[in-house]
Amino acid sequence: MRMVDLIEKKRNGKELTTEEINFIIEGYTKGDIPDYQVSALAMAIYFKDMNERERADLTMAMVNSGETIDLSAIEGVKVDKHSTGGVGDTTTLVLAPLVAALDIPVAKMSGRGLGHTGGTIDKLEAIEGFHVEITKDEFTQLVNEHKIAVIGQTGNITPADKKLYALRDVTATVEAVSLIASSIMSKKIAAGSDAIVLDVKTGAGAFMKTTEDAKELASAMVRIGNNVGRKTMAVISDMSQPLGFAIGNSLEVKEAIDTLKGQGPADLEELCLALGRQMVYLAGKASSLEEAEEMLREVIHNGKALEKFKDFIRNQGGDPSIVDHPEKLPQAKYLIEVPSREDGVVAEIIADEIGTAAMLLGAGRATKESEIDLAVGLMLNKKIGDAVKVGESLVTIHANREQVEDVIQMIYDNIHIADHADVPVLVHGIVTE
Ligand code: URA
Ligand code: CA
């Protein structure tokens, strides 16, 4: 087999066989096939696309390029949740204990944040003592005993995807649905769970700017998952404005606690229930999505979800008293209000730019090496559709520096007041195949 012939085949719009796809991914991972040939192939895929079978094959070839996580020592149906990346997205912190409270094993491998999106591990580390550097045996044991544990990214997972994603980034081939879907799904499948719930974001803060594109990506991923034997469902959710009120690590932990008490922001609660019911359903604990949602509301109402969160914190070395005393979480030195300069209705809160404003305070990383400040961030006091008067606070800045003119300017540039607003729908659809 020669790579040049395979590039030509795809360039001419033909289908690649399973063997050919395996040959490409194995050769590329080993370094036998050079970047320039894979660049040309990626561009050919961008224009000629791949069918459902090729996408599943590409996904599995990338899964098999490295280590995979074996969760077979954990009893029960393991359901993982993945979000394509949002701003102020606190859902994992809420969902993990919420679902575990129903005796569904949550064996989660998580990452750190980069740019305007936050990472679950950073948020958890806002809790004094909490650590994710646990061994695989400890991880397995915790999930079997308590139904919940989070571990940091370990091992050499999907090296082919790492190489290919970096190459796509510099060859204008990131935006191909086949390549995005196989990239994301390869990582989720290698992480070992039996079923996968996807939160595909759409809007300014998201990778997919339109609902149509998000739906296309969601259904591509759902098909890949089901074709390779992992039950998969997706929610298409709005990310034109940040989720909830809090953006920043400590602030989001507090917001998750409020939500587990049934006192969180309406949008965050709605999304957690939309994702959570799919998780409960795929775990086989409910016979319909409606029944699953009832079960979730019950464990919020009776306090079991909150107890599970304490249990989870204690098991991983953290101080569970922060749940009843969130003021013990790292606090910023300065609270600065950003008053509205106009009367009207909030019409837009551009999610990615507001996420970047929080990053400038230190809540997120500009580069992989940046240090983050767990205490800082933004609290939105208004969401799209809320009326506002001159002088009323739009946002409270939680900062550890006194001068925040740059952040205030970004907030004014990206929160637009008008005489009327179209309030975005939060859940644009579900994809269950
Ligand atoms: N996120 C990924 O992990 N892969 C892509 O290709 C795009 C977004
Ligand atoms: Ca939030």
Side-chain angles (χ1 to χ4, degrees):
M1 238 182 268
R2 292 196 319 157
M3 183 64 180
V4 62
D5 300 326
L6 303 181
I7 298 168
E8 185 183 305
K9 197 173 174 191
K10 184 44 80 182
R11 187 203 66 195
N12 293 341
K14 302 230 170 64
E15 189 180 333
L16 297 173
T17 67
T18 308
E19 293 68 40
E20 288 165 344
I21 290 171
N22 288 341
F23 168 83
I24 295 165
I25 295 302
E26 277 166 30
Y28 187 47
T29 310
K30 273 193 260 162
D32 296 346
I33 299 175
D35 278 348
Y36 54 81
Q37 286 190 308
V38 176
S39 308
L41 179 73
M43 191 58 86
I45 293 171
Y46 179 89
F47 283 110
K48 300 293 178 175
D49 212 347
M50 286 181 130
N51 66 22
E52 213 171 297
R53 200 219 83 246
E54 290 174 291
R55 290 173 178 183
D57 284 344
L58 176 59
T59 304
M60 289 315 293
M62 294 201 289
V63 169
N64 295 327
S65 73
E67 286 174 42
T68 56
I69 308 292
D70 180 5
L71 298 179
S72 60
I74 295 169
E75 301 135 25
V77 181
K78 280 78 67 183
V79 189
D80 200 359
K81 177 232 126 185
H82 176 78
S83 143
T84 58
V87 176
D89 184 350
T90 321
T91 52
T92 299
L93 287 191
V94 179
L95 280 169
L98 186 55
V99 170
L102 290 169
D103 275 339
I104 295 164
V106 177
K108 186 128 190 86
M109 194 164 68
S110 276
R112 295 181 189 279
L114 186 61
H116 66 266
T117 55
T120 297
I121 291 188
D122 298 323
K123 294 172 198 180
L124 286 167
E125 284 179 350
I127 302 169
E128 165 113 47
F130 194 100
H131 61 274
V132 294
E133 294 82 14
I134 54 177
T135 65
K136 274 191 192 165
D137 286 345
E138 286 169 316
F139 180 63
T140 304
Q141 198 186 338
L142 282 177
V143 182
N144 277 335
E145 240 171 79
H146 301 273
K147 300 296 166 198
I148 182 168
V150 171
I151 190 168
Q153 237 116 45
T154 56
N156 182 26
I157 294 214
T158 60
D161 172 63
K162 275 196 197 85
K163 257 184 115 169
L164 183 58
Y165 196 10
L167 187 68
R168 287 164 54 211
D169 211 21
V170 293
T171 55
T173 50
V174 169
E175 292 88 351
V177 166
S178 289
L179 297 176
I180 301 171
S182 53
S183 166
I184 295 173
M185 290 305 287
S186 68
K187 286 173 278 214
K188 286 287 111 183
I189 289 160
S193 61
D194 305 303
I196 301 161
V197 171
L198 299 162
D199 180 8
V200 181
K201 308 285 195 187
T202 173
F207 204 68
M208 291 286 154
K209 305 289 178 205
T210 69
T211 309
E212 289 66 42
D213 287 350
K215 280 194 178 148
E216 191 190 348
L217 177 62
S219 75
M221 291 194 288
V222 168
R223 294 229 175 87
I224 289 173
N226 288 321
N227 282 336
V228 305
R230 310 287 171 106
K231 287 182 277 177
T232 306
M233 285 188 176
V235 171
I236 318 280
S237 76
D238 185 74
M239 198 25 87
S240 50
Q241 63 179 334
L243 192 61
F245 302 118
I247 307 154
N249 300 284
S250 278
L251 299 172
E252 288 187 49
V253 172
K254 163 82 165 56
E255 185 167 76
I257 294 167
D258 292 341
T259 307
L260 287 166
K261 287 179 179 162
Q263 297 159 4
D267 60 344
L268 178 60
E269 177 177 289
E270 183 185 343
L271 184 58
C272 287
L273 290 171
L275 293 164
R277 62 192 203 145
Q278 293 193 342
M279 294 174 78
V280 174
Y281 178 77
L282 289 182
K285 292 276 181 182
S287 53
S288 68
L289 291 171
E290 292 69 33
E291 186 192 347
E293 184 166 332
E294 277 310 301
M295 294 166 73
L296 292 166
R297 288 186 188 278
E298 174 67 20
V299 287
I300 293 175
H301 191 70
N302 66 18
K304 278 193 181 161
L306 198 63
E307 272 315 304
K308 186 54 79 178
F309 192 47
K310 287 185 191 168
D311 204 20
F312 168 49
I313 294 171
R314 193 180 302 113
N315 293 339
Q316 297 199 222
D319 173 8
S321 74
I322 59 107
V323 172
D324 297 316
H325 298 282
E327 70 281 1
K328 288 189 185 172
L329 290 163
Q331 304 285 320
K333 257 191 255 160
Y334 307 101
L335 299 191
I336 302 134
E337 304 298 338
V338 184
S340 179
R341 299 186 290 202
E342 293 160 77
D343 287 339
V345 179
V346 176
E348 255 187 322
I349 306 179
I350 314 281
D352 49 351
E353 298 291 340
I354 295 295
T356 304
M359 185 191 79
L360 290 180
L361 287 168
R365 292 185 182 81
T367 69
K368 271 187 195 151
E369 288 71 35
S370 320
E371 287 265 335
I372 57 170
D373 183 338
L374 298 167
V376 303
L378 302 173
M379 284 299 292
L380 304 179
N381 298 313
K382 300 283 174 185
K383 298 269 295 196
I384 296 176
D386 288 348
V388 60
K389 295 216 171 305
V390 172
E392 245 188 301
S393 178
L394 295 170
V395 175
T396 307
I397 298 174
H398 292 238
N400 274 332
R401 54 176 157 104
E402 217 164 347
Q403 289 304 321
V404 288
E405 285 314 311
D406 54 337
V407 176
I408 292 175
Q409 193 53 52
M410 279 193 82
I411 291 169
Y412 281 131
D413 288 346
N414 291 290
I415 298 188
H416 303 145
I417 315 287
D419 352 331
H420 111 283
D422 295 316
V423 180
V425 177
L426 179 66
V427 174
H428 291 281
I430 59 173
V431 179
T432 59
E433 207 192 31

